[in-house]
Amino acid sequence: MGIREIEDRAKMRDLMKKKAAELRMHRLATKTATTKMTKEKLAEIAKKHGVIVALDPEMKEIIEEIRKKYNIPKERIIREEITEESVLKKGKKVDIKKLAMLSYQRVMLEKQETGGLLTLPDVFDMINTGSLKNRITMDDAEKAVKILKKDKVIPEIKKLPSGILAISFFPVQYTKDQTSILELVTEDGVITTGDVCKTLNWTVERAERALQNLVDTRVARITETFRTGKKYFFPSLKTK
């Protein structure tokens, strides 16, 4: 299978993914607005992700208890649900600060799928949906994630050798290996386990664990042929 065919298939999957994401985000917004989280669920999210979803004002004391227990900074407490409509001031101008929190909430709610490490184009795809579709730009997305970094909501934004930004939405220790791999990806957007092991002096197990995480979180795609063997393709990092 050639790179062109891989790209065509990746584009088709991405189009289907975006449509599915729009529906999923709508369901998540509805679910978040109508479901009261239990103390146990809030504590679980705080422990795993270092964030508190404080949408229920009746749980103020419980939220403070959880915040102190897990040493959660106040900047990482989500106190209101951001909707697509609320991002547009008077239905027109984009509120970048609210766009920033919308992106953060969506990544947080989708952490199992995103892994918390996304490229800027990936972030853009997550927020360029519904009533915001075609009304925000990649520049808006970049300004939004930079606000999150400035406000200490997210730990790191790193420019890869390709020039593309990689954003860590969760503690860097959980995404360090994946970021190291992204820094190795060249202009054709393809890398192998051997490339990773040789350059980073890693074991095969460590390299494949990090690469599989990038596949599971849809940053990378696997392509395998009898002639070339297994390779990992990164559509958002391809520059030629």
Side-chain angles (χ1 to χ4, degrees):
M1 185 184 296
I3 293 297
R4 174 73 65 177
E5 189 175 353
I6 295 171
E7 289 179 23
D8 289 342
R9 290 190 177 188
K11 286 178 182 177
M12 181 60 70
R13 283 195 297 268
D14 286 343
L15 284 173
M16 294 174 68
K17 181 184 73 174
K18 287 178 184 178
K19 285 293 183 184
E22 290 180 20
L23 293 173
R24 187 165 59 249
M25 290 307 158
H26 176 72
R27 289 196 297 268
L28 281 171
T30 303
K31 181 180 178 181
T32 305
T34 59
T35 302
K36 289 188 176 181
M37 292 191 180
T38 64
K39 179 179 179 179
E40 290 73 22
K41 182 64 176 176
L42 287 172
E44 179 187 346
I45 292 173
K47 183 178 180 180
K48 286 185 177 180
H49 310 315
V51 65
I52 298 177
V53 184
L55 301 180
D56 187 349
E58 295 180 7
M59 300 185 75
K60 185 176 179 180
E61 291 183 5
I62 291 174
I63 287 165
E64 184 60 19
E65 176 188 333
I66 293 172
R67 188 187 76 78
K68 290 180 179 178
K69 180 176 180 179
Y70 295 105
N71 195 29
I72 307 294
K74 291 184 178 181
E75 294 84 357
R76 294 174 70 86
I77 299 178
I78 297 175
R79 299 191 181 278
E80 65 173 312
E81 181 194 359
I82 306 297
T83 64
E84 293 167 351
E85 289 71 22
S86 67
V87 171
L88 297 172
K89 296 177 181 177
K90 297 181 179 179
K92 295 181 180 180
K93 189 177 179 181
V94 176
D95 185 326
I96 298 296
K97 197 167 184 68
K98 286 198 172 183
L99 184 67
M101 288 311 298
L102 176 69
S103 66
Y104 181 72
Q105 287 186 18
R106 289 190 168 180
V107 172
M108 193 280 294
L109 289 169
E110 294 281 282
K111 184 179 187 297
Q112 197 166 18
E113 293 188 21
T114 65
L117 174 66
L118 294 88
T119 61
L120 184 63
D122 293 328
V123 175
F124 177 73
D125 285 345
M126 290 193 78
I127 56 180
N128 184 38
T129 60
S131 59
L132 292 179
K133 193 169 184 64
N134 299 323
R135 302 183 73 173
I136 59 172
T137 65
M138 193 70 73
D139 284 343
D140 291 332
E142 182 172 343
K143 290 175 185 176
V145 296
K146 285 181 176 178
I147 284 176
L148 293 176
K149 177 65 174 65
K150 180 182 177 183
D151 291 347
K152 300 180 180 179
V153 177
I154 62 174
E156 185 177 61
I157 297 175
K158 194 166 189 176
K159 181 172 281 191
L160 301 173
S162 62
I164 293 173
L165 296 182
I167 301 100
S168 297
F169 279 79
F170 296 92
V172 179
Q173 63 264 33
Y174 300 130
T175 58
K176 188 175 180 180
D177 279 6
Q178 291 88 332
T179 303
S180 295
I181 289 176
L182 294 183
E183 291 178 345
L184 300 181
V185 180
T186 55
E187 294 177 337
D188 63 359
V190 176
I191 201 168
T192 66
T193 303
D195 295 332
V196 176
C197 293
K198 182 179 179 180
T199 307
L200 298 176
N201 195 28
W202 286 0
T203 64
V204 171
E205 291 76 16
R206 181 178 180 181
E208 290 193 339
R209 183 170 59 247
L211 284 163
Q212 187 58 50
N213 176 269
L214 290 165
V215 171
D216 292 342
T217 56
R218 299 181 299 196
V219 176
R221 314 274 189 269
I222 291 178
T223 172
E224 189 168 7
T225 67
F226 179 77
R227 185 171 62 84
T228 63
K230 182 188 286 187
K231 291 185 177 182
Y232 295 85
F233 177 55
F234 295 77
S236 63
L237 300 183
K238 187 176 182 296
T239 58
K240 74 172 185 178

